[in-house]
Amino acid sequence: MLVDADHLESGQVIDVDVCIIGAGAAGITIAREFAKTRTGVCLLEGGPLEGDAASQALYETIRNVGRDYPSLHGSRTRFFGGSTNCWTGHCMPLRSVNFEQLSWSRYTGWPISLADLQPYYRRAEAILGLSTTRCDAASIAARLGLRLLPFDPTRILTQFSPYDPVRFGQVFRKELVDASNIQVVLGANVTSIEAHKDGQRIERVAVRTLGGRDLS
Protein backbone atom coordinates (compact mmCIF):
# COMPACT_ATOMS: atom_id res chain seq x y z
CA MET A 1 0.00 0.00 0.00
CA LEU A 2 1.20 3.49 -0.85
CA VAL A 3 -0.19 6.63 0.78
CA ASP A 4 0.63 10.33 0.97
CA ALA A 5 1.11 11.47 4.57
CA ASP A 6 -0.75 14.70 3.79
CA HIS A 7 -3.85 12.60 3.07
CA LEU A 8 -3.82 11.09 6.57
CA GLU A 9 -5.39 12.63 9.65
CA SER A 10 -3.08 14.84 11.67
CA GLY A 11 -2.10 12.98 14.83
CA GLN A 12 -2.71 9.57 13.28
CA VAL A 13 -0.65 6.71 14.71
CA ILE A 14 0.63 3.96 12.42
CA ASP A 15 1.26 0.88 14.56
CA VAL A 16 3.62 -1.64 12.92
CA ASP A 17 6.31 -4.15 13.84
CA VAL A 18 9.07 -2.54 11.80
CA CYS A 19 9.55 1.09 10.76
CA ILE A 20 12.08 1.79 8.00
CA ILE A 21 13.19 5.39 7.51
CA GLY A 22 14.07 6.34 3.95
CA ALA A 23 12.96 4.70 0.70
CA GLY A 24 16.31 4.71 -1.07
CA ALA A 25 18.44 1.71 -2.04
CA ALA A 26 18.87 0.51 1.56
CA GLY A 27 15.32 1.17 2.76
CA ILE A 28 13.66 -0.44 -0.25
CA THR A 29 15.97 -3.46 -0.06
CA ILE A 30 15.18 -4.00 3.62
CA ALA A 31 11.44 -3.59 3.04
CA ARG A 32 11.54 -6.20 0.26
CA GLU A 33 12.96 -8.72 2.73
CA PHE A 34 9.68 -8.48 4.67
CA ALA A 35 7.34 -8.49 1.66
CA LYS A 36 4.49 -10.98 1.97
CA THR A 37 5.43 -12.00 5.52
CA ARG A 38 3.40 -11.59 8.69
CA THR A 39 5.57 -8.67 9.80
CA GLY A 40 3.85 -5.30 9.56
CA VAL A 41 6.17 -2.75 7.95
CA CYS A 42 5.98 1.00 7.48
CA LEU A 43 8.45 2.48 4.99
CA LEU A 44 8.75 6.23 5.48
CA GLU A 45 9.89 8.44 2.62
CA GLY A 46 10.39 12.16 3.18
CA GLY A 47 9.82 13.02 -0.46
CA PRO A 48 6.96 12.35 -2.89
CA LEU A 49 6.59 9.61 -5.50
CA GLU A 50 8.22 11.75 -8.19
CA GLY A 51 10.62 14.68 -8.07
CA ASP A 52 9.32 17.82 -6.38
CA ALA A 53 11.01 21.23 -6.05
CA ALA A 54 9.73 21.90 -2.53
CA SER A 55 11.05 18.61 -1.16
CA GLN A 56 14.33 18.82 -3.06
CA ALA A 57 14.91 22.35 -1.71
CA LEU A 58 15.46 20.91 1.77
CA TYR A 59 18.91 19.78 0.61
CA GLU A 60 19.90 23.38 -0.04
CA THR A 61 20.11 24.03 3.71
CA ILE A 62 22.67 21.30 4.38
CA ARG A 63 26.26 22.51 4.67
CA ASN A 64 29.22 20.18 4.27
CA VAL A 65 32.01 20.85 6.78
CA GLY A 66 34.21 17.90 5.84
CA ARG A 67 36.00 16.96 2.66
CA ASP A 68 34.88 18.99 -0.35
CA TYR A 69 31.89 17.29 -1.97
CA PRO A 70 29.35 18.31 -4.63
CA SER A 71 26.21 20.01 -3.39
CA LEU A 72 23.65 17.56 -2.01
CA HIS A 73 20.99 19.49 -3.90
CA GLY A 74 22.57 18.46 -7.17
CA SER A 75 23.97 15.04 -6.31
CA ARG A 76 21.06 13.57 -4.31
CA THR A 77 17.37 13.21 -5.08
CA ARG A 78 14.69 13.43 -2.43
CA PHE A 79 11.81 11.25 -3.61
CA PHE A 80 10.81 7.59 -3.71
CA GLY A 81 13.88 5.60 -4.72
CA GLY A 82 16.26 8.10 -3.14
CA SER A 83 19.44 8.90 -5.00
CA THR A 84 19.14 5.79 -7.17
CA ASN A 85 16.96 8.17 -9.19
CA CYS A 86 20.08 10.04 -10.29
CA TRP A 87 23.10 7.77 -9.68
CA THR A 88 25.23 6.55 -12.56
CA GLY A 89 25.22 2.94 -11.35
CA HIS A 90 28.94 2.68 -10.59
CA CYS A 91 29.36 -0.69 -8.83
CA MET A 92 33.00 -1.45 -8.09
CA PRO A 93 33.71 -4.03 -5.38
CA LEU A 94 36.38 -3.40 -2.80
CA ARG A 95 39.70 -5.26 -2.93
CA SER A 96 41.52 -7.17 -0.20
CA VAL A 97 44.08 -4.40 0.19
CA ASN A 98 41.31 -1.97 1.13
CA PHE A 99 40.90 -3.83 4.44
CA GLU A 100 44.57 -4.23 5.33
CA GLN A 101 46.66 -2.30 7.82
CA LEU A 102 49.22 -0.34 5.82
CA SER A 103 52.58 0.40 7.38
CA TRP A 104 52.62 3.97 6.09
CA SER A 105 49.15 4.97 7.35
CA ARG A 106 47.80 4.77 10.88
CA TYR A 107 44.24 5.24 9.63
CA THR A 108 44.02 1.92 7.79
CA GLY A 109 42.93 -1.58 8.74
CA TRP A 110 39.43 -2.97 9.15
CA PRO A 111 38.09 -5.51 11.67
CA ILE A 112 36.53 -7.41 8.74
CA SER A 113 37.94 -8.80 5.50
CA LEU A 114 36.82 -8.96 1.90
CA ALA A 115 35.82 -12.59 2.50
CA ASP A 116 33.32 -11.40 5.13
CA LEU A 117 31.59 -9.27 2.49
CA GLN A 118 31.44 -11.84 -0.27
CA PRO A 119 28.05 -13.37 0.70
CA TYR A 120 26.55 -9.87 0.75
CA TYR A 121 28.16 -8.99 -2.57
CA ARG A 122 26.42 -12.01 -4.11
CA ARG A 123 23.05 -10.83 -2.77
CA ALA A 124 23.68 -7.26 -3.94
CA GLU A 125 24.65 -8.51 -7.40
CA ALA A 126 21.33 -10.34 -7.67
CA ILE A 127 19.40 -7.17 -6.74
CA LEU A 128 21.37 -5.01 -9.17
CA GLY A 129 21.46 -7.55 -11.97
CA LEU A 130 25.26 -7.82 -11.90
CA SER A 131 27.25 -10.91 -12.78
CA THR A 132 30.23 -12.12 -10.75
CA THR A 133 32.52 -11.48 -13.75
CA ARG A 134 31.22 -7.96 -14.27
CA CYS A 135 34.47 -6.35 -13.04
CA ASP A 136 36.90 -9.07 -14.13
CA ALA A 137 39.23 -7.36 -16.59
CA ALA A 138 40.27 -10.50 -18.47
CA SER A 139 36.68 -11.64 -19.01
CA ILE A 140 35.52 -8.22 -20.16
CA ALA A 141 38.49 -7.70 -22.46
CA ALA A 142 37.91 -11.07 -24.11
CA ARG A 143 34.23 -10.32 -24.60
CA LEU A 144 35.02 -6.95 -26.18
CA GLY A 145 37.85 -8.31 -28.31
CA LEU A 146 40.43 -6.16 -26.51
CA ARG A 147 43.97 -6.97 -25.43
CA LEU A 148 45.02 -5.86 -21.96
CA LEU A 149 48.20 -3.82 -21.66
CA PRO A 150 51.12 -6.00 -20.47
CA PHE A 151 51.45 -4.52 -17.00
CA ASP A 152 52.89 -6.48 -14.08
CA PRO A 153 49.67 -7.42 -12.18
CA THR A 154 51.53 -7.28 -8.87
CA ARG A 155 52.22 -3.59 -9.47
CA ILE A 156 49.43 -2.29 -11.69
CA LEU A 157 45.88 -3.65 -11.61
CA THR A 158 43.63 -3.35 -14.66
CA GLN A 159 39.94 -2.97 -13.87
CA PHE A 160 36.74 -2.11 -15.67
CA SER A 161 34.05 -0.11 -13.89
CA PRO A 162 30.44 -1.06 -14.71
CA TYR A 163 27.87 1.71 -14.93
CA ASP A 164 24.36 0.28 -14.98
CA PRO A 165 21.96 2.27 -12.79
CA VAL A 166 18.97 0.48 -11.28
CA ARG A 167 16.18 2.93 -10.40
CA PHE A 168 14.91 1.28 -7.23
CA GLY A 169 11.80 3.43 -7.02
CA GLN A 170 10.67 2.29 -10.46
CA VAL A 171 11.89 -1.31 -10.48
CA PHE A 172 10.58 -2.34 -7.04
CA ARG A 173 7.58 -0.03 -6.65
CA LYS A 174 4.92 -2.52 -7.69
CA GLU A 175 6.35 -5.25 -5.44
CA LEU A 176 6.10 -2.99 -2.39
CA VAL A 177 2.71 -1.55 -3.29
CA ASP A 178 1.27 -5.04 -3.82
CA ALA A 179 2.60 -6.34 -0.48
CA SER A 180 -0.37 -6.18 1.90
CA ASN A 181 1.88 -6.07 4.99
CA ILE A 182 3.86 -3.00 3.85
CA GLN A 183 2.74 0.62 4.04
CA VAL A 184 4.81 3.09 2.03
CA VAL A 185 4.15 6.57 3.41
CA LEU A 186 5.30 9.46 1.22
CA GLY A 187 6.02 13.01 2.37
CA ALA A 188 6.84 11.65 5.82
CA ASN A 189 9.76 13.64 7.23
CA VAL A 190 11.10 12.14 10.45
CA THR A 191 11.64 14.80 13.13
CA SER A 192 12.53 12.62 16.13
CA ILE A 193 13.12 9.02 17.17
CA GLU A 194 12.12 7.99 20.68
CA ALA A 195 13.68 4.91 22.25
CA HIS A 196 12.28 2.79 25.06
CA LYS A 197 13.90 3.47 28.43
CA ASP A 198 15.82 0.19 28.21
CA GLY A 199 17.43 1.42 24.97
CA GLN A 200 16.71 -1.87 23.21
CA ARG A 201 13.91 -0.80 20.89
CA ILE A 202 12.26 2.21 19.33
CA GLU A 203 8.83 3.12 20.66
CA ARG A 204 7.89 6.04 18.45
CA VAL A 205 9.01 7.85 15.33
CA ALA A 206 7.63 11.37 14.98
CA VAL A 207 6.80 12.55 11.47
CA ARG A 208 5.83 15.90 9.99
CA THR A 209 4.76 16.68 6.44
CA LEU A 210 5.68 19.82 4.54
CA GLY A 211 2.00 20.71 4.85
CA GLY A 212 2.28 20.69 8.66
CA ARG A 213 0.57 17.41 9.57
CA ASP A 214 2.06 15.47 12.50
CA LEU A 215 2.01 11.68 12.55
CA SER A 216 3.74 8.88 14.44
Side-chain angles (χ1 to χ4, degrees), residues 23-26 28-29 32 80-81 84-85 87 127-128 166-173:
I28 287 177
T29 298
R32 292 180 65 232
F80 186 68
T84 67
N85 290 303
W87 78 314
I127 294 170
L128 296 170
V166 175
R167 309 300 184 200
F168 278 57
Q170 300 173 21
V171 174
F172 302 119
R173 179 187 304 177

Side-chain angles (χ1 to χ4, degrees), residues 16-55:
V16 291
D17 301 306
V18 176
C19 177
I20 302 170
I21 301 173
I28 287 177
T29 298
I30 295 170
R32 292 180 65 232
E33 291 291 307
F34 291 100
K36 298 180 180 179
T37 68
R38 295 184 178 181
T39 301
V41 176
C42 180
L43 176 58
L44 301 176
E45 168 54 44
L49 190 61
E50 304 291 345
D52 176 80
S55 179

Side-chain angles (χ1 to χ4, degrees), residues 80-148:
F80 186 68
S83 293
T84 67
N85 290 303
C86 67
W87 78 314
T88 59
H90 186 202
C91 297
M92 175 60 70
L94 295 171
R95 295 179 293 138
S96 296
V97 68
N98 298 130
F99 300 85
E100 297 172 2
Q101 176 73 51
L102 304 177
S103 60
W104 48 268
S105 176
R106 60 181 292 194
Y107 300 109
T108 56
W110 285 63
I112 60 174
S113 68
L114 178 60
D116 294 321
L117 288 184
Q118 290 300 345
Y120 304 100
Y121 272 145
R122 299 292 84 81
R123 294 179 67 183
E125 287 166 356
I127 294 170
L128 296 170
L130 299 174
S131 66
T132 55
T133 61
R134 195 64 184 277
C135 299
D136 179 70
S139 299
I140 295 175
R143 190 162 65 247
L144 297 177
L146 302 176
R147 186 178 63 179
L148 298 178

Side-chain angles (χ1 to χ4, degrees), residues 8 13 23 81 94 125 145-146 170-171 184 200-201 210 216:
L8 301 176
V13 176
L94 295 171
E125 287 166 356
L146 302 176
Q170 300 173 21
V171 174
V184 179
Q200 299 300 307
R201 58 190 173 87
L210 293 184
S216 62

